[in-house]
Amino acid sequence: MNKIFLPVILIFFALSTFTVSHAQQQSDSLRLDSLFSSIASYGQLNGNVLVAQMGRPIYQRSFGFADYTRKIPNAPSSGFTLASISKLFTSTAILQLAERGKLKLDEPVGNHLTGFPFQGITIRHLLSHTSALPDYDLFDAQLKNDTSKVFTNADVIPALIDWKNPLGFAPGAKWQYSNINYCLLALIVEKCSGIPFRAYIERNIFKAAGMEHTYFADKGNKIDIRNKTVNHDYKDMFALNVEDVEGIDRFRWRLHHMNGLEGQGNVVSTTSDMLRFDQALYTGLLLNASSLLLAFTPTQLSDGSLANASIGLGKATFGLGWFILDDQRHGKIAFHTGGVPGAVTILLRNVDRRQTVMVFDNQFSVGVYKNGLNALRILNREKPVVVRQSVVRAFAKALMEKDIDAAFVKLMELKADSTHYTLSEDDLNDFGLRLLYQAKFPAHEQFSLEVLRMNIIFFPSGFNTYDSYAEALAYLGRKQDAIMMYRRSLALNPNNLSGASALKKLLEQL
């Protein structure tokens, strides 16, 4: 073969390969934009999306508002509350310290934390959520005594000492998610490193990975605070618009009382910074290959089975800080999710194909986790799974803005759009009872009866629809009608003990 001709062939082949790859990325980008634009139009996304292959973003876009009140749109530089994705920094720190010989994963927690009251719980148990320790309910008793208390990590061990309940199972026997596990791990990082937890994470992870716009969130931290998104949610079922969750009373326990805890959350970051973290893991900048293998290996329980950690994305297990999907047809998928009032996040990594997906949302939108997984499906030539949302929010909004007839028309319109919406007996039932007991506007009681009656029409074989309608009738003094409905409920389900008890009381009052 001509010596000049061979290099020409090689160059042509390389260019062809690049062209095919570039064309495929363009196709993927268009499909990704179609997915996320569509769900945003249906109110299922308010935030930032970044999808990368081999460390390079192939799709990046912002949707909605960082601050609804001031009409500030989300932008690539927007900082989002990561929520429990922050646990990845804690688990990375522990594995770093293990690499450096500062701790051993299978040694008792008490070796490092003086006063820790439970024998047999190891660092590995904390990392894998198999410790059997309680979650935030650890602080319930203290909150009753001090309604202004803001808990910090210094409160964790004293609270465990005072906690009178036995462990729900032997450590290592089951998987049970607990934020307290990661607060304890943060304390261990401090003890083994000799510096504050935040300082360790900032030096050994944020700075090491080049994450210049990532920081611990608190009211005194001014770093990039101008880019921090406001977390939004609806005040209640009857609210027409979302608002800053800081002003919503039902979230006070999480946003105020748990705001001083570390290791389990409280980090703010951007999608670009989290891609730097992702790449630092691939390149060995943060952990060596053997540590990552441990992190992505499903935890084996004491009976030999694997830790079942399914959270609605398909069957999954849990390793050391990471969820791992059972389905590995296209490679090993390691991920973590996050959720706090007004914010929901997901980071997915196909560690075999170096695919990365992150969706950060500051409106607690429906379906963020599943649509993050849909992005991976698109990258791997699979059809996305449509994520449907309940019609009840739109139904409630129409009721508040107009009247019951307009709301019914809206409900029927959305019910017909079965691709994007779903009508649930439980959701409609819950809305009807909330109208009865919680609403404070004219005709709310009559609206409640109408909604609960609709539920019977839509779900005539559900015993609970008749039970709830009977409850509303009895509450409004229509005892005879309530008796008829309770009897119908019991005919459908003779084991409805609460209904039988309510019926007995009504009959005794006649």
Side-chain angles (χ1 to χ4, degrees):
M1 179 179 290
N2 187 296
K3 292 182 179 180
I4 298 177
F5 188 58
L6 179 59
V8 170
I9 292 177
L10 293 175
I11 292 171
F12 177 77
F13 177 77
L15 288 173
S16 299
T17 303
F18 172 79
T19 302
V20 170
S21 175
H22 182 65
Q24 187 62 63
Q25 285 189 1
Q26 285 186 317
S27 174
D28 289 342
S29 181
L30 289 172
R31 293 180 66 202
L32 288 165
D33 193 56
S34 176
L35 167 70
F36 288 110
S37 296
S38 175
I39 64 176
S41 71
Y42 281 94
Q44 291 182 307
L45 177 61
N46 183 87
N48 283 3
V49 180
L50 189 151
V51 179
Q53 291 205 89
M54 303 302 291
R56 295 185 177 183
I58 65 167
Y59 180 76
Q60 187 172 11
R61 188 172 170 187
S62 301
F63 297 87
F65 289 97
D67 186 336
Y68 273 87
T69 301
R70 294 185 291 163
K71 300 302 179 185
I72 299 174
N74 276 315
S77 61
S78 295
F80 290 81
T81 303
L82 293 181
S84 285
I85 288 180
S86 307
K87 290 181 173 68
L88 296 178
F89 306 132
T90 307
S91 61
T92 299
I94 289 290
L95 292 173
Q96 285 179 343
L97 291 168
E99 287 181 0
R100 298 165 190 170
K102 299 290 186 179
L103 59 82
K104 296 179 180 178
L105 299 181
D106 292 312
E107 65 181 326
V109 171
N111 283 11
H112 297 283
L113 301 182
T114 303
F116 183 74
F118 297 100
Q119 301 295 319
I121 295 180
T122 66
I123 294 173
R124 188 186 298 272
H125 290 143
L126 299 180
L127 275 173
S128 61
H129 290 299
T130 57
S131 70
L133 292 175
D135 204 345
Y136 289 133
D137 54 318
L138 173 67
F139 302 118
D140 284 352
Q142 292 184 63
L143 276 178
K144 290 179 181 178
N145 297 325
D146 184 356
T147 57
S148 65
K149 174 74 173 177
V150 177
F151 293 97
T152 68
N153 284 11
D155 295 305
V156 173
I157 291 179
L160 287 171
I161 292 171
D162 292 339
W163 194 56
K164 304 304 180 186
N165 299 317
L167 295 177
F169 52 88
K174 295 181 181 179
W175 185 83
Q176 177 177 281
Y177 193 88
S178 171
N179 287 282
I180 299 302
N181 289 329
Y182 277 68
C183 294
L184 290 166
L185 288 170
L187 290 172
I188 292 172
V189 170
E190 291 188 340
K191 189 67 179 292
C192 292
S193 68
I195 60 176
F197 174 72
R198 289 190 179 197
Y200 181 92
I201 299 297
E202 288 166 353
R203 182 184 306 169
N204 294 278
I205 297 179
F206 299 167
K207 185 176 180 179
M211 302 167 68
E212 296 180 354
H213 306 287
T214 302
Y215 56 94
F216 286 87
D218 59 45
K219 293 180 174 59
N221 197 329
K222 300 300 181 183
I223 304 174
D224 279 359
I225 202 70
R226 64 190 182 280
N227 293 328
K228 167 73 173 68
T229 56
V230 174
N231 294 338
H232 302 88
D233 206 337
Y234 292 93
K235 186 173 183 179
D236 52 42
M237 179 70 79
F238 316 108
L240 297 179
N241 300 299
V242 295
E243 60 184 82
D244 186 341
V245 293
E246 292 287 349
I248 301 178
D249 288 343
R250 64 192 171 101
F251 296 138
R252 178 176 168 79
W253 75 270
R254 180 64 182 86
L255 299 177
H256 177 72
H257 300 302
M258 306 302 159
N259 191 50
L261 297 172
E262 295 180 349
Q264 91 300 0
N266 281 14
V267 175
V268 174
S269 189
T270 65
T271 52
S272 295
D273 260 15
M274 288 304 292
L275 183 60
R276 293 184 180 96
F277 172 71
D278 167 75
Q279 291 306 296
L281 290 175
Y282 280 122
T283 58
L285 190 63
L286 300 178
L287 292 169
N288 63 37
S290 60
S291 293
L292 287 173
L293 181 61
L294 280 176
F296 303 146
T297 298
T299 297
Q300 189 174 63
L301 301 176
S302 53
D303 66 357
S305 64
L306 299 181
N308 179 5
S310 301
I311 57 169
L313 289 180
K315 293 183 178 179
T317 53
F318 201 83
L320 299 184
W322 293 83
F323 292 89
I324 304 114
L325 282 181
D326 284 8
D327 184 354
Q328 296 188 18
R329 289 173 298 159
H330 302 294
K332 178 173 285 190
I333 311 298
F335 68 98
H336 211 294
T337 59
V340 292
V344 60
T345 57
I346 186 167
L347 169 64
L348 294 133
R349 305 175 73 233
N350 184 328
V351 297
D352 292 332
R353 296 190 176 185
R354 291 194 64 170
Q355 299 167 336
T356 307
V357 172
M358 56 191 83
V359 185
F360 298 165
D361 182 285
N362 63 311
Q363 191 183 294
F364 212 87
S365 300
V366 174
V368 166
Y369 296 167
K370 291 181 179 179
N371 283 314
L373 188 57
N374 271 334
L376 272 185
R377 290 191 177 102
I378 287 174
L379 294 183
N380 291 295
R381 316 294 175 259
E382 285 193 359
K383 185 178 180 180
V385 176
V386 174
V387 181
R388 298 186 296 168
Q389 60 180 308
S390 173
V391 303
V392 169
R393 167 59 66 184
F395 175 55
K397 185 175 183 179
L399 181 62
M400 298 303 104
E401 291 180 327
K402 299 178 181 180
D403 55 38
I404 189 68
D405 293 326
F408 179 73
V409 171
K410 187 66 175 179
L411 183 147
M412 295 304 294
E413 172 193 336
L414 297 181
K415 183 175 180 290
D417 183 5
S418 58
T419 300
H420 300 100
Y421 293 94
T422 180
L423 178 61
S424 159
E425 173 187 339
D426 290 342
D427 286 348
L428 203 56
N429 188 77
D430 180 59
F431 179 50
L433 292 177
R434 285 175 184 265
L435 276 169
L436 182 66
Y437 295 120
Q438 296 181 10
K440 303 295 179 186
F441 53 84
H444 70 91
E445 294 174 340
Q446 184 58 41
F447 287 166
S448 171
L449 288 180
E450 293 286 350
V451 170
L452 293 172
R453 183 159 49 235
M454 284 182 202
N455 211 20
I456 289 175
I457 294 171
F458 288 128
F459 303 98
S461 61
F463 80 93
N464 195 47
T465 60
Y466 296 92
D467 184 281
S468 294
Y469 188 43
E471 181 181 334
L473 291 167
Y475 180 82
L476 298 176
R478 295 170 55 179
K479 295 181 181 179
Q480 290 289 357
D481 291 339
I483 287 170
M484 290 177 61
M485 291 297 101
Y486 274 126
R487 283 174 171 163
R488 177 58 181 159
S489 175
L490 288 164
L492 290 170
N493 180 13
N495 296 319
N496 177 13
L497 300 181
S498 62
S501 175
L503 176 60
K504 181 181 179 181
K505 289 180 181 178
L506 284 174
L507 292 172
E508 290 173 348
Q509 293 171 12
L510 296 181

